[in-house]
Protein backbone atom coordinates (compact mmCIF):
# COMPACT_ATOMS: atom_id res chain seq x y z
CA UNK A 1 0.00 0.00 0.00
CA UNK A 2 1.36 3.40 -1.00
CA UNK A 3 1.81 6.19 1.52
CA UNK A 4 -0.53 9.15 0.96
CA UNK A 5 2.19 11.56 -0.24
CA UNK A 6 3.54 9.09 -2.81
CA UNK A 7 0.02 8.24 -4.00
CA UNK A 8 -0.76 11.96 -4.34
CA UNK A 9 2.39 12.44 -6.45
CA UNK A 10 1.30 9.61 -8.76
CA UNK A 11 -2.16 11.15 -9.14
CA UNK A 12 -0.56 14.44 -10.20
CA UNK A 13 1.39 12.78 -13.02
CA UNK A 14 -0.53 9.83 -14.41
CA UNK A 15 -3.86 8.08 -14.72
CA UNK A 16 -4.93 5.27 -12.41
CA UNK A 17 -6.81 2.06 -13.08
CA UNK A 18 -9.95 1.18 -11.17
CA UNK A 19 -12.86 -1.23 -11.11
CA UNK A 20 -16.51 -0.76 -10.16
CA UNK A 21 -18.98 -3.56 -9.51
CA UNK A 22 -22.68 -3.23 -10.23
CA UNK A 23 -24.22 -5.76 -7.85
CA UNK A 24 -27.59 -6.52 -9.49
CA UNK A 25 -30.73 -8.35 -8.33
CA UNK A 26 -34.19 -8.16 -9.94
CA UNK A 27 -33.37 -5.03 -12.00
CA UNK A 28 -32.05 -3.26 -8.90
CA UNK A 29 -28.44 -2.48 -8.05
CA UNK A 30 -26.48 -1.65 -4.91
CA UNK A 31 -25.39 1.93 -4.48
CA UNK A 32 -24.25 4.11 -1.58
CA UNK A 33 -23.47 7.71 -0.70
CA UNK A 34 -19.71 8.26 -1.03
CA UNK A 35 -17.87 9.43 2.07
CA UNK A 36 -14.58 10.24 0.34
CA UNK A 37 -13.31 12.29 -2.57
CA UNK A 38 -13.44 12.08 -5.42
CA UNK A 39 -17.23 11.84 -5.86
CA UNK A 40 -17.88 12.57 -2.17
CA UNK A 41 -21.58 13.06 -1.48
CA UNK A 42 -22.75 11.35 -4.67
CA UNK A 43 -24.41 7.96 -4.88
CA UNK A 44 -21.89 5.54 -6.36
CA UNK A 45 -21.35 1.81 -6.74
CA UNK A 46 -18.71 -0.15 -4.82
CA UNK A 47 -15.31 0.06 -6.46
CA UNK A 48 -11.68 0.99 -6.01
CA UNK A 49 -8.39 1.60 -7.69
CA UNK A 50 -6.43 -1.46 -8.63
CA UNK A 51 -2.97 -2.15 -7.28
CA UNK A 52 0.19 -2.76 -9.27
CA UNK A 53 0.36 -6.42 -10.29
CA UNK A 54 -3.21 -7.03 -9.05
CA UNK A 55 -5.31 -8.79 -11.66
CA UNK A 56 -8.87 -7.73 -12.43
CA UNK A 57 -10.05 -10.98 -10.82
CA UNK A 58 -8.15 -10.25 -7.63
CA UNK A 59 -9.45 -6.67 -7.58
CA UNK A 60 -13.06 -7.80 -8.00
CA UNK A 61 -12.74 -10.21 -5.08
CA UNK A 62 -11.08 -7.47 -2.97
CA UNK A 63 -13.83 -4.90 -3.67
CA UNK A 64 -16.56 -7.35 -2.68
CA UNK A 65 -14.73 -8.39 0.47
CA UNK A 66 -13.53 -4.98 1.68
CA UNK A 67 -16.53 -2.83 0.72
CA UNK A 68 -19.39 -5.30 1.25
CA UNK A 69 -17.83 -7.98 3.45
CA UNK A 70 -18.84 -10.79 1.08
CA UNK A 71 -16.90 -13.39 -0.86
CA UNK A 72 -17.78 -13.63 -4.55
CA UNK A 73 -16.53 -15.72 -7.42
CA UNK A 74 -15.04 -13.08 -9.78
CA UNK A 75 -15.56 -15.49 -12.69
CA UNK A 76 -19.27 -14.70 -12.31
CA UNK A 77 -18.68 -11.00 -13.03
CA UNK A 78 -19.48 -9.77 -16.55
CA UNK A 79 -17.66 -6.78 -17.95
CA UNK A 80 -19.95 -3.86 -18.84
CA UNK A 81 -17.31 -1.60 -20.34
CA UNK A 82 -14.25 0.63 -19.89
CA UNK A 83 -14.74 4.28 -18.95
CA UNK A 84 -12.74 7.42 -18.22
CA UNK A 85 -13.59 8.87 -14.81
CA UNK A 86 -12.03 12.32 -14.56
CA UNK A 87 -12.53 14.37 -11.39
CA UNK A 88 -11.49 17.93 -10.56
CA UNK A 89 -10.23 16.81 -7.16
CA UNK A 90 -8.50 13.84 -5.51
CA UNK A 91 -8.63 11.91 -2.24
CA UNK A 92 -6.62 14.62 -0.44
CA UNK A 93 -7.58 18.05 -1.80
CA UNK A 94 -8.98 20.11 -4.67
CA UNK A 95 -5.58 21.12 -6.11
CA UNK A 96 -5.05 18.18 -8.46
CA UNK A 97 -7.45 16.28 -10.68
CA UNK A 98 -7.77 12.50 -10.71
CA UNK A 99 -8.12 10.36 -13.84
CA UNK A 100 -9.22 6.75 -13.52
CA UNK A 101 -9.44 4.34 -16.42
CA UNK A 102 -12.32 2.37 -14.94
CA UNK A 103 -13.47 -1.12 -15.85
CA UNK A 104 -17.09 -1.69 -14.79
CA UNK A 105 -18.48 -5.14 -14.05
CA UNK A 106 -21.91 -6.57 -13.31
CA UNK A 107 -22.45 -9.29 -10.73
CA UNK A 108 -25.78 -11.04 -10.03
CA UNK A 109 -25.94 -10.94 -6.25
CA UNK A 110 -27.94 -13.52 -4.33
CA UNK A 111 -30.39 -12.91 -1.49
CA UNK A 112 -27.99 -14.70 0.86
CA UNK A 113 -25.11 -12.41 -0.16
CA UNK A 114 -27.34 -9.35 0.31
CA UNK A 115 -28.18 -10.50 3.87
CA UNK A 116 -24.47 -10.76 4.68
CA UNK A 117 -23.42 -7.29 3.49
CA UNK A 118 -21.41 -5.21 5.95
CA UNK A 119 -20.68 -1.72 4.66
CA UNK A 120 -17.19 -0.28 5.07
CA UNK A 121 -16.21 3.37 5.47
CA UNK A 122 -16.30 4.16 1.72
CA UNK A 123 -20.07 4.66 1.74
CA UNK A 124 -22.46 6.14 4.29
CA UNK A 125 -24.81 3.23 3.69
CA UNK A 126 -25.63 0.85 0.87
CA UNK A 127 -29.09 0.23 -0.54
CA UNK A 128 -30.83 -1.17 -3.62
CA UNK A 129 -32.14 1.18 -6.35
CA UNK A 130 -34.27 0.22 -9.33
CA UNK A 131 -32.21 0.68 -12.50
CA UNK A 132 -35.11 2.21 -14.43
CA UNK A 133 -35.77 4.69 -11.62
CA UNK A 134 -32.09 5.63 -11.52
CA UNK A 135 -32.16 6.29 -15.28
CA UNK A 136 -35.40 8.29 -15.14
CA UNK A 137 -34.37 11.97 -15.25
CA UNK A 138 -37.64 12.87 -13.49
CA UNK A 139 -37.08 10.57 -10.51
CA UNK A 140 -36.03 11.96 -7.17
CA UNK A 141 -32.91 9.80 -6.99
CA UNK A 142 -31.55 10.39 -10.51
CA UNK A 143 -29.71 13.65 -9.72
CA UNK A 144 -28.14 12.18 -6.57
CA UNK A 145 -26.41 9.47 -8.59
CA UNK A 146 -23.03 10.37 -10.09
CA UNK A 147 -23.13 10.84 -13.87
CA UNK A 148 -20.47 8.14 -14.32
CA UNK A 149 -22.82 5.62 -12.71
CA UNK A 150 -25.69 6.78 -14.93
CA UNK A 151 -23.53 6.35 -18.04
CA UNK A 152 -22.60 2.81 -17.03
CA UNK A 153 -26.22 1.94 -16.18
CA UNK A 154 -27.20 2.88 -19.73
CA UNK A 155 -24.69 0.34 -21.03
CA UNK A 156 -25.81 -2.20 -18.45
CA UNK A 157 -29.40 -1.91 -19.69
CA UNK A 158 -28.17 -2.51 -23.25
CA UNK A 159 -26.80 -5.86 -22.09
CA UNK A 160 -30.44 -6.96 -21.86
CA UNK A 161 -31.53 -10.03 -19.99
CA UNK A 162 -28.06 -10.68 -18.63
CA UNK A 163 -29.05 -8.48 -15.68
CA UNK A 164 -32.05 -10.64 -14.78
CA UNK A 165 -31.23 -12.78 -11.72
Amino acid sequence: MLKADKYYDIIKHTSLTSIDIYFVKDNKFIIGKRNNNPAKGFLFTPGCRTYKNETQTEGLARVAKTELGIDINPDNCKMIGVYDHIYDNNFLNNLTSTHYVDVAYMYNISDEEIKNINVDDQHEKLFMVDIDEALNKNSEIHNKIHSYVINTLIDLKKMGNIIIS
Side-chain angles (χ1 to χ4, degrees):
M1 175 87 90
L2 288 172
K3 292 186 179 188
D5 59 338
K6 184 168 255 185
Y7 182 48
Y8 180 71
D9 194 47
I10 290 169
I11 289 171
K12 288 186 342 188
H13 298 287
T14 189
S15 59
L16 305 169
T17 60
S18 63
I19 54 175
D20 289 327
I21 307 177
Y22 288 70
F23 291 92
V24 177
K25 172 86 175 145
D26 298 329
N27 203 55
K28 294 181 179 179
F29 72 108
I30 294 176
I31 196 165
K33 186 175 179 183
R34 289 271 306 148
N35 288 327
N36 307 317
N37 277 326
K40 182 177 182 175
F42 283 97
L43 296 178
F44 218 100
T45 57
C48 65
R49 70 181 169 103
T50 54
Y51 298 140
K52 182 174 176 64
N53 297 327
E54 179 180 50
T55 66
Q56 294 286 292
T57 301
E58 292 166 341
L60 291 165
R62 181 171 58 85
V63 167
K65 188 66 171 175
T66 59
E67 293 196 27
L68 278 69
I70 62 173
D71 292 308
I72 66 166
N73 180 347
D75 292 337
N76 293 333
C77 293
K78 305 286 185 220
M79 189 172 79
I80 303 168
V82 180
Y83 305 86
D84 285 303
H85 289 190
I86 301 173
Y87 301 92
D88 291 336
N89 59 6
N90 61 76
F91 78 100
L92 188 62
N93 58 44
N94 295 327
L95 302 176
T96 300
S97 65
T98 307
H99 178 188
Y100 294 99
V101 176
D102 182 71
V103 183
Y105 292 88
M106 185 276 307
Y107 176 82
N108 283 315
I109 191 165
S110 70
D111 289 330
E112 187 64 29
E113 289 168 322
I114 291 170
K115 285 185 217 173
N116 291 318
I117 288 176
N118 291 308
V119 66
D120 75 346
D121 62 352
Q122 294 292 315
H123 295 94
E124 190 174 295
K125 65 177 183 174
L126 295 172
F127 52 96
M128 300 291 285
V129 172
D130 183 84
I131 294 171
D132 295 321
E133 183 180 354
L135 291 174
N136 180 350
K137 293 178 183 175
N138 296 320
S139 75
E140 187 176 315
I141 200 158
H142 177 82
N143 289 328
K144 297 175 184 176
I145 299 172
H146 199 282
S147 62
Y148 292 146
V149 173
I150 296 293
N151 292 340
T152 305
L153 285 174
I154 291 167
D155 290 343
L156 180 61
K157 284 293 286 188
K158 290 177 188 174
M159 291 172 71
N161 58 8
I162 196 167
I163 65 171
I164 308 277
S165 297

